[in-house]
């Protein structure tokens, strides 16, 4: 990202409590859960990040702030990329939904919900997207065994 | 078959010849049900093409309706979610029916040693022939078809 554009972003987000980091050359903003919608709206409306490419879930498997979500943003006009990172609570990973800002967040958030059990409050349609509806676990959590839990997924009878 | 039973029980001495005739015709017109789930399906289509020409063995009619097919070629990774569908389609095929497990994933789970992939379709389907390879060469699939023909009418009986 160009230096002066980075400075413009920093200046316009002055009011928020943001930790700036670098992810292999791409700027990363680590923000508070409460600020997520505010920052996202500002990034979209004023700073031209019109595209939400992906939302990732992360399980750090530690006592505090075990879960994270990372939103991958792209600006088609300025041709640059930005990561938004939110650290979430270990026991009850809840996060406001980005669907109000970018519509494409819908399925990404369903994926993170399915794989990590992160609950996106005020999401319009929070269902599992990969695993069957009756499945009880979150497969990409670190404490989930690679081969699954025997008997948790049903096979048809022979 | 009705015809078989009718003549079989009235005049005993026709039995062996008629079943041989029926088995011979059955063997040379095995209509496959292409259960193409992933990349093995490309190789299966290739087998049906002019270069390898499955028509030489009477199996050129790929039926997408299970009710018109005799042998199901399961070509690809079967997940737990897909297993129900595969079984449902198998159940709709009329007897007599056979199953070819094509490729490593279908036979044993292959490289997908994961919670979501069925470790071999023989866990929920009766399999007649396993085909090795990832994906198998078309010759290999033709060989499996010949193996099933052999199973229907062994050479020695002739």
């Amino acid at each position: 990202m160009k230096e002066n554009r980075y400075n413009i972003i920093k200046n316009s987000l002055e009011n928020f409590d943001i930790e700036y980091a670098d992810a292999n050359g791409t700027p990363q903003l680590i923000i508070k859960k409460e600020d997520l919608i505010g920052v996202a709206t500002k990034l979209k409306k004023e700073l031209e990040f019109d595209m939400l490419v992906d939302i990732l879930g992360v399980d750090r498997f530690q006592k505090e702030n075990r879960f994270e979500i990372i939103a991958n943003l792209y600006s088609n006009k300025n041709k640059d990329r930005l990561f938004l990172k939110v650290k979430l609570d270990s026991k009850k990973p809840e996060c406001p939904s980005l669907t109000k800002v970018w519509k494409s967040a819908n399925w990404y958030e369903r994926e993170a919900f399915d794989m990590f059990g992160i609950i996106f409050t005020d999401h319009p349609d929070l269902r599992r997207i990969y695993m069957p509806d009756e499945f009880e676990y979150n497969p990409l959590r670190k404490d989930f065994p690679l081969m699954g839990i025997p008997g948790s997924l049903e096979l048809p009878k022979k | 078959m009705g015809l078989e039973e009718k003549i079989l029980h009235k005049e005993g001495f026709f039995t062996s010849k008629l079943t041989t005739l029926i088995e011979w015709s059955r063997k040379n017109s095995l209509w496959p049900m292409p259960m193409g789930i992933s990349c093995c399906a490309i190789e299966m289509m290739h087998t049906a093409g002019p270069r390898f020409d499955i028509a030489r063995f009477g199996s050129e009619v790929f039926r997408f309706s299970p009710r018109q097919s005799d042998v199901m070629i399961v070509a690809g990774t079967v997940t737990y979610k897909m297993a129900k569908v595969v079984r449902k389609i198998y159940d709709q095929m009329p007897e007599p029916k056979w199953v070819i497990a094509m490729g490593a994933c279908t036979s044993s789970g292959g490289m997908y040693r994961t919670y979501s992939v069925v470790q071999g379709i023989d866990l929920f389907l009766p399999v007649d022939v396993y085909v090795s390879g990832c994906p198998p060469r078309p010759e290999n699939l033709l060989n499996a078809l010949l193996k099933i023909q052999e199973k229907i009418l062994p050479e020695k009986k002739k």
Side-chain angles (χ1 to χ4, degrees):
Chain A
M1 188 181 276
K2 277 174 193 157
E3 194 83 15
N4 59 354
R5 176 146 159 88
Y6 196 23
N7 288 333
I8 291 170
I9 292 172
K10 272 186 177 171
N11 288 335
S12 61
L13 295 176
E14 257 178 354
N15 302 336
F16 299 101
D17 179 18
I18 299 177
E19 192 184 322
Y20 290 87
D22 179 82
N24 291 323
T26 308
Q28 190 176 48
L29 318 183
I30 304 168
I31 52 179
K32 293 256 159 61
K33 193 166 84 178
E34 299 77 36
D35 295 341
L36 179 66
I37 296 297
V39 173
T41 319
K42 208 154 195 183
L43 282 172
K44 192 191 177 186
K45 296 269 158 69
E46 290 171 26
L47 298 159
E48 291 157 335
F49 283 98
D50 50 351
M51 191 161 138
L52 175 70
V53 183
D54 202 357
I55 293 178
L56 319 169
V58 183
D59 181 4
R60 297 274 179 209
F61 206 50
Q62 58 201 15
K63 273 200 176 151
E64 278 185 22
N65 294 334
R66 181 175 156 182
F67 297 102
E68 287 170 5
I69 63 157
I70 300 168
N72 182 345
L73 306 179
Y74 188 74
S75 166
N76 279 305
K77 197 177 175 191
N78 299 286
K79 306 268 183 280
D80 49 18
R81 200 174 286 277
L82 186 80
F83 293 129
L84 273 186
K85 189 188 221 176
V86 185
K87 290 180 177 168
L88 302 174
D89 189 46
S90 305
K91 278 186 186 158
K92 213 179 170 194
E94 278 188 346
C95 180
S97 167
L98 281 175
T99 41
K100 274 181 197 155
V101 190
W102 292 280
K103 271 195 176 174
S104 66
N106 193 322
W107 280 21
Y108 303 144
E109 286 177 352
R110 278 179 65 188
E111 184 187 359
F113 166 71
D114 191 357
M115 293 289 132
F116 293 98
I118 296 166
I119 292 156
F120 292 90
T121 47
D122 67 352
H123 185 284
D125 182 28
L126 199 63
R127 285 179 293 134
R128 286 184 179 275
I129 191 166
Y130 293 138
M131 303 306 288
D133 287 334
E134 63 275 9
F135 193 62
E136 290 167 2
Y137 308 91
N138 302 104
L140 285 191
R141 282 194 181 185
K142 289 272 199 268
D143 47 7
F144 185 82
L146 179 65
M147 287 307 291
I149 288 152
S152 59
L153 283 164
E154 225 178 303
L155 268 182
K157 274 173 195 143
K158 202 168 178 175
Chain B
M1 279 174 77
L3 183 73
E4 192 179 358
E5 223 157 84
K6 209 173 168 187
I7 303 174
L8 209 109
H9 292 298
K10 273 188 181 170
E11 289 126 342
F13 56 87
F14 271 116
T15 312
S16 74
K17 280 203 165 179
L18 189 64
T19 44
T20 313
L21 180 74
I22 288 165
E23 279 170 2
W24 173 81
S25 59
R26 203 173 259 163
K27 145 189 167 180
N28 285 301
S29 64
L30 278 174
W31 289 8
M33 161 77 220
M35 195 70 224
I37 305 167
S38 54
C39 32
C40 277
I42 305 297
E43 221 63 11
M44 180 175 67
M45 291 170 213
H46 202 173
T47 319
R51 183 160 179 180
F52 294 95
D53 201 10
I54 205 168
R56 293 177 293 160
F57 309 100
S59 299
E60 74 274 24
V61 212
F62 275 81
R63 286 288 130 153
F64 290 90
S65 158
R67 284 153 207 250
Q68 297 174 347
S69 44
D70 307 300
V71 51
M72 183 155 80
I73 306 175
V74 185
T77 320
V78 183
T79 56
Y80 277 89
K81 237 179 168 179
M82 196 64 194
K84 287 168 196 162
V85 182
V86 176
R87 179 72 208 195
K88 208 175 207 173
I89 288 172
Y90 175 80
D91 285 341
Q92 288 182 55
M93 284 165 61
E95 296 272 1
K97 50 190 171 184
W98 297 271
V99 176
I100 297 176
M102 182 185 179
C105 301
T106 320
S107 311
S108 68
M111 64 173 180
Y112 299 104
R113 214 171 147 62
T114 335
Y115 60 94
S116 56
V117 175
V118 182
Q119 303 294 305
I121 59 162
D122 46 7
L123 290 173
F124 67 95
L125 274 186
V127 181
D128 293 278
V129 183
Y130 298 89
V131 188
S132 65
C134 183
R137 293 273 314 163
E139 294 95 323
N140 212 348
L141 182 60
L142 289 177
N143 183 48
L145 196 72
L146 293 179
K147 280 276 185 312
I148 283 191
Q149 292 189 355
E150 178 95 338
K151 202 173 178 178
I152 298 167
L153 185 61
E155 291 277 326
K156 283 172 204 162
K157 257 192 182 175
K158 272 183 184 173

